[in-house]
Amino acid sequence: MLQERDFYDEVETKKPATLNCEFCHHVDTYEVRWVVRTKKKALQGPVDDSDRVRFARAQSYMTRVDTYLQCKNPRCRKRFTISGLQSVAFI
Ligand SMILES: [Zn+2]
């Protein structure tokens, strides 16, 4: 049985996002890290019917790596939880 990772090519990327700190409410642009999983064109190696069905349903997506960021406000600098940004996005 194939693993989900066998369906995708995986790369890490950064995307800017405008976020606000939950402590000081400072708004700034942060580079948020994501893992992009792009569906492969075809499966390789021995596959069975269930792998083929799962692969047919698979979609390219990206998943957020960062959960916390450090506030850029020099008077704050606290680690805040990223909110208002989804953790998984289909692409
Ligand atoms: Zn802050």
Side-chain angles (χ1 to χ4, degrees):
M1 182 119 145
L2 293 175
Q3 301 296 310
E4 201 201 10
R5 65 172 176 274
D6 297 322
F7 296 174
Y8 299 102
D9 294 317
E10 192 174 291
V11 286
E12 195 170 302
T13 188
K14 286 183 177 180
K15 286 180 184 293
T18 304
L19 299 166
N20 71 313
C21 169
E22 64 191 279
F23 301 104
C24 69
H25 303 292
H26 174 76
V27 176
D28 216 317
T29 303
Y30 295 88
E31 291 289 317
V32 179
R33 287 179 298 151
W34 295 81
V35 170
V36 178
R37 296 201 173 106
T38 307
K39 187 178 174 181
K40 290 181 177 175
K41 297 239 181 330
L43 287 174
Q44 286 174 354
V47 291
D48 62 20
D49 285 344
S50 104
D51 291 329
R52 265 188 282 273
V53 169
R54 285 163 63 224
F55 184 69
R57 288 198 195 120
Q59 276 189 67
S60 300
Y61 68 100
M62 56 187 213
T63 177
R64 178 155 53 79
V65 176
D66 291 316
T67 308
Y68 300 98
L69 289 170
Q70 190 181 32
C71 182
K72 286 186 182 174
N73 178 354
R75 292 187 302 277
C76 176
R77 291 277 176 200
K78 285 185 180 146
R79 270 159 60 88
F80 66 90
T81 311
I82 298 174
S83 61
L85 190 63
Q86 74 267 53
S87 56
V88 174
F90 289 98
I91 45 176

